[in-house]
Amino acid sequence: MAFPLPKPQPPQLPSVLLHTLDCHQGAVRAVRFNADGNYVLSCGSDKTLRLWSAGRGILLQTYSGHGYEVLDTDGSYDNSQLCSCSADKTVILWDVATAQVTRKLRGHAGKVNCVRFNEEATVIVSGSIDSTVRCWDTRSRRPDPIQILDEARDGVSSVEVSEHELLTGSVDGRVRRYDLRMGQLYSDFVNSPITCVCFSQDGQCTLSASLDSTLRLLDKSTGELLGEYTGHRNSSYKLDCCLSERDTHVLSCSEDGHVYFWDLVEGSLALKLPVGKGVVQSLCFHPTEPHLLTAMEGRVQIWGVESEEKEEEAG
């Protein structure tokens, strides 16, 4: 006879503070997990990028080479390289182990807001206040980008890359999806400047955050609005949004010092996580575990679930 399968556990939300990283790099502009979630990257207003152990909260390396504050970063799939972008108009490709600058990519006419590797880390995609998205070949010595996407009518605030697709959000209020295989551009208009865009983990939906304090979940193929999430405050700053590791919840930073979690399907508020008294500037969800990074002022917080806290105390 067949035994019944165990009931799937309801998703746990990371509401327990596991570590606080005092970054000592001015205001932390962005915080990111690396590809496997074992490391944390913090971008500082003091021009540095820092690499930390996620499990122990220990500083491992500092990367210095930008001329102004660092605004975003991404790690390659094999953890050998980092890319970062800055208000100094450049994108830097770093060697993780030596902390040396492999390449400094110049071409944007204004501060560079966002940066991502493609899956093989052969291309870096960067978006700038100059209204362009530039694609750089990491293996070539040529100084020019291999492609420039200039459809945005205002600054590009956010980029996301999946297999053959590129998702961008712009202050012009449009979410643009480039299908690079088919050479197609799809555009959805949101009547408010967009601060962050991302794909759902299953690749079927896009999530966008905008300055009308609203998150919108769209069906990627039809553009149909599947859900709106409100209650947080985002009217002045470029703040992050994301989905949880199993696509069960939608998350957003807020200017009121909290991170908001909504049930993706129902749209109801599931958790309002108090981080501090300032603006929650950045967040990032772990790729496979219920862990969350948040950044406020000069600190980064690492959040997990209750059982881990007990394990750490026991250990």
Side-chain angles (χ1 to χ4, degrees):
M1 76 179 234
F3 288 99
L5 290 169
K7 272 191 180 162
Q9 290 293 311
Q12 291 182 286
L13 300 180
S15 57
V16 175
L17 183 60
L18 303 179
H19 296 289
T20 298
L21 312 180
D22 218 332
C23 295
H24 299 294
Q25 51 183 158
V28 177
R29 296 301 183 206
V31 64
R32 304 286 177 247
F33 276 114
N34 73 318
D36 59 19
N38 290 327
Y39 300 96
V40 174
L41 297 158
S42 60
C43 302
S45 65
D46 72 342
K47 315 176 194 175
T48 67
L49 179 65
R50 289 194 161 177
L51 177 72
W52 309 78
S53 156
R56 295 177 298 158
I58 296 169
L59 176 64
L60 302 173
Q61 189 65 277
T62 299
Y63 301 83
S64 302
H66 278 297
Y68 209 63
E69 56 185 11
V70 185
L71 298 175
D72 197 11
T73 184
D74 195 23
S76 65
Y77 70 96
D78 61 358
N79 298 330
S80 68
Q81 299 183 101
L82 301 174
C83 60
S84 62
C85 63
S86 167
D88 68 5
K89 310 179 190 176
T90 69
V91 173
I92 292 183
L93 177 66
W94 305 88
D95 180 275
V96 169
T98 64
Q100 295 299 306
V101 174
T102 305
R103 290 184 62 201
K104 190 175 260 197
L105 304 165
R106 295 179 173 89
H108 281 296
K111 74 175 182 178
V112 188
N113 290 318
C114 46
V115 69
R116 288 289 178 274
F117 280 114
N118 69 338
E119 286 188 66
E120 300 82 30
T122 53
V123 176
I124 296 171
V125 178
S126 58
S128 166
I129 198 171
D130 70 6
S131 308
T132 70
V133 172
R134 289 170 193 248
C135 305
W136 314 85
D137 185 339
T138 59
R139 299 163 302 177
S140 159
R141 304 307 301 175
R142 288 186 52 204
D144 308 326
I146 48 176
Q147 193 168 10
I148 299 175
L149 306 170
D150 58 2
E151 285 76 17
R153 300 264 93 35
D154 208 328
V156 177
S157 57
S158 181
V159 295
E160 199 65 58
V161 184
S162 79
E163 296 166 10
H164 60 278
E165 290 182 317
L166 188 57
L167 192 66
T168 70
S170 169
V171 180
D172 69 8
R174 285 191 181 275
V175 178
R176 293 177 175 85
R177 180 170 59 88
Y178 297 85
D179 186 321
L180 302 173
R181 273 203 306 226
M182 305 297 292
Q184 293 282 337
L185 168 61
Y186 304 91
S187 177
D188 292 298
F189 183 59
V190 174
N191 198 12
S192 178
I194 290 164
T195 62
C196 185
V197 292
C198 56
F199 288 107
S200 56
Q201 310 291 349
D202 67 6
Q204 300 300 305
C205 306
T206 65
L207 181 68
S208 65
S210 49
L211 290 180
D212 57 357
S213 301
T214 305
L215 269 60
R216 293 172 177 85
L217 187 72
L218 300 177
D219 183 293
K220 191 179 79 176
S221 52
T222 65
E224 181 191 352
L225 181 65
L226 301 175
E228 287 192 343
Y229 309 90
T230 57
H232 64 300
R233 203 165 79 233
N234 183 14
S235 57
S236 309
Y237 296 93
K238 173 179 150 33
L239 303 184
D240 290 337
C241 64
C242 69
L243 290 110
S244 62
E245 89 284 12
R246 283 158 51 186
D247 278 343
T248 56
H249 290 82
V250 170
L251 286 73
S252 176
C253 295
S254 179
E255 292 163 16
D256 65 8
H258 294 77
V259 170
Y260 285 69
F261 293 69
W262 293 269
D263 183 286
L264 178 135
V265 176
E266 295 176 9
S268 54
L269 188 64
L271 175 65
K272 185 178 169 183
L273 180 68
V275 179
K277 291 194 161 54
V279 174
V280 185
Q281 185 80 43
S282 181
L283 58 72
C284 185
F285 215 95
H286 191 283
T288 55
E289 305 284 335
H291 289 180
L292 175 71
L293 300 175
T294 55
M296 179 181 284
E297 294 160 350
R299 292 190 177 91
V300 166
Q301 298 81 20
I302 304 176
W303 305 85
V305 294
E306 278 178 72
S307 55
E308 295 169 70
E309 188 187 38
K310 296 194 176 89
E311 281 166 30
E312 287 199 5
E313 285 169 8

